[in-house]
Amino acid sequence: MTDQDTSLFQMTLLHRAAAVEALLTDLLSDQPQDGEISRPPRLMAAMRHGVLNGGKRLRPFLVMESAALFGAGTPAALRVAAALECIHSYSLVHDDLPAMDNDDMRRGQPTVHRKFDEAAAILAGDSLLTYAFELIAAEATELDPGAKVALVTALARAAGIGGMTGGQALDLEAEKVKPDEAGIIRLQAMKTGALIRFACEAGAVIGNANPEDRERLAEYGSAIGLAFQLADDLLDVTADAAHMGKATGKDAAAGKATLVSLHGIDWTKRQLSGLVAQAEELLAPFGEKAALLKQAARFIAERQS
Ligand code: GRG
């Protein structure tokens, strides 16, 4: 990736992040919205702390760039992107709870249960999860009903039993019984890969892509989802906590098997290069239009935080 490519990608990521943050700030205000009786201020504050705290907004970027590939750079893509970020943020809030990873810091700040309390963190997570589906289904999201149903179905699958929560359940079991390589890959495809796959597939749904292109985007999402987790496992070994804004070295401390612990750092770096090549190949039919998505694959594989 040339320096020019990197700066165009970084600028677009920041630009998309600013747009999604502005929308989320508006949506998560204390002001009750149509059809709501009230918005409990402490619940809203906990939700905002879990969401508006400086994430990279990578998943929203993927939704919006994938939609743009099919000519749909619309407000609807921004609302779906915001919905997905609500679900991602909820997963981090719950993952940090004492019953799960028991973390004190996230995105460089105290975790929600540390700043508020456990009950507030549980309710903030629950509320973000349900609000995400409301955001997609709401009238203000200008998509036809068929697209909304497709998005809600795919998002529920990605976030639920066969996706993120199922993957988290397998991850907790993996601390007791170490999975083999296939088991690790399956667990990771569910825990972190499914939401990233959804982000890319969602763009195709919003852009009314044909089934073949929708599948192509979903496969691209799977490749970069695996790359994302491999890079995360690598950073857990190589980066320091101050740089990451969260604790590192946790996998080794928990005796957790990862592909990095099985195969080592050099093998992981080679895998990452292979996944970037695979992602680029999947996007090849879209030509120059997919340049930013190709750069996203590189960014994910090479990221330092
Ligand atoms: C508790 C229901 C439930 C699910 C938890 C995804 C997950 C499942 C837990 C997160 C644990 C974790 C840190 C996994 C590593 C991959 C990951 C999701 C990292 C954080 O995502 P980034 O780097 O974070 O996109 P930002 O802060 O930039 O949004």
Side-chain angles (χ1 to χ4, degrees):
M1 196 148 92
T2 66
D3 287 352
Q4 212 174 3
D5 287 346
T6 311
S7 59
L8 179 62
F9 169 78
Q10 298 279 9
M11 268 170 49
T12 313
L13 183 60
L14 287 174
H15 177 73
R16 300 287 200 203
V20 83
E21 273 184 41
L23 177 61
L24 284 165
T25 304
D26 200 33
L27 292 168
L28 299 177
S29 79
D30 284 347
Q31 198 59 36
Q33 306 208 344
D34 269 356
E36 291 175 346
I37 298 168
S38 85
R39 287 196 155 195
R42 193 161 182 273
L43 173 65
M44 297 315 299
M47 288 168 76
R48 286 192 294 270
H49 186 73
V51 178
L52 301 169
N53 55 356
K56 293 183 286 296
R57 317 301 185 198
L58 191 59
R59 293 156 193 78
F61 169 91
L62 291 169
V63 174
M64 298 186 76
E65 283 309 316
S66 301
L69 199 58
F70 301 97
T74 59
L78 184 59
R79 286 178 62 89
V80 175
L84 181 55
E85 190 65 9
C86 285
I87 293 203
H88 167 60
S89 300
Y90 123 73
S91 82
L92 300 180
V93 172
H94 280 193
D95 187 63
D96 290 335
L97 284 167
M100 302 254 185
D101 249 12
N102 194 18
D103 273 308
D104 295 337
M105 297 293 285
R106 167 70 63 187
R107 294 171 169 169
Q109 294 182 43
T111 46
V112 177
H113 68 276
R114 281 277 163 205
K115 188 161 168 81
F116 295 82
D117 54 53
E118 269 184 61
I122 292 169
L123 289 173
D126 292 343
S127 305
L128 286 168
L129 172 60
T130 43
Y131 190 50
F133 290 100
E134 181 184 335
L135 261 179
I136 295 177
E139 219 174 297
T141 304
E142 289 179 354
L143 288 172
D144 70 63
K148 286 185 184 178
V149 170
L151 288 167
V152 164
T153 308
L155 182 55
R157 287 205 179 118
I161 307 163
M164 185 177 70
T165 56
Q168 177 77 350
L170 292 176
D171 197 40
L172 292 173
E173 281 169 25
E175 285 174 20
K176 295 178 202 106
V177 182
K178 283 192 184 180
D180 59 11
E181 178 160 351
I184 297 172
I185 292 173
R186 185 172 51 240
L187 177 171
Q188 296 186 338
M190 290 166 68
K191 190 180 100 163
T192 37
L195 278 199
I196 293 176
R197 180 181 164 100
F198 169 81
C200 305
E201 190 178 1
V205 174
I206 295 163
N208 204 16
N210 63 43
E212 193 192 320
D213 283 347
R214 177 175 167 175
E215 180 57 24
R216 188 170 279 283
L217 263 291
E219 279 179 32
Y220 158 79
S222 288
I224 62 169
L226 179 54
F228 182 92
Q229 185 63 54
L230 277 178
D232 205 72
D233 292 344
L234 200 56
L235 286 168
D236 193 63
V237 174
T238 56
D240 62 64
H243 189 67
M244 295 293 285
K246 63 173 185 177
T248 55
K250 292 202 65 160
D251 294 342
K256 200 188 269 183
T258 67
L259 293 178
V260 182
S261 74
L262 275 189
H263 295 294
I265 290 175
D266 289 343
W267 178 92
T268 306
K269 287 184 176 167
R270 282 197 300 280
Q271 283 298 112
L272 281 168
S273 303
L275 286 164
V276 172
Q278 191 186 328
E280 287 176 343
E281 210 176 295
L282 282 160
L283 295 176
F286 301 107
E288 260 310 289
K289 273 195 303 184
L292 281 173
L293 285 175
K294 289 181 192 155
Q295 286 160 26
R298 246 169 225 291
F299 168 80
I300 284 171
E302 293 166 11
R303 71 199 170 93
Q304 303 299 320
S305 68

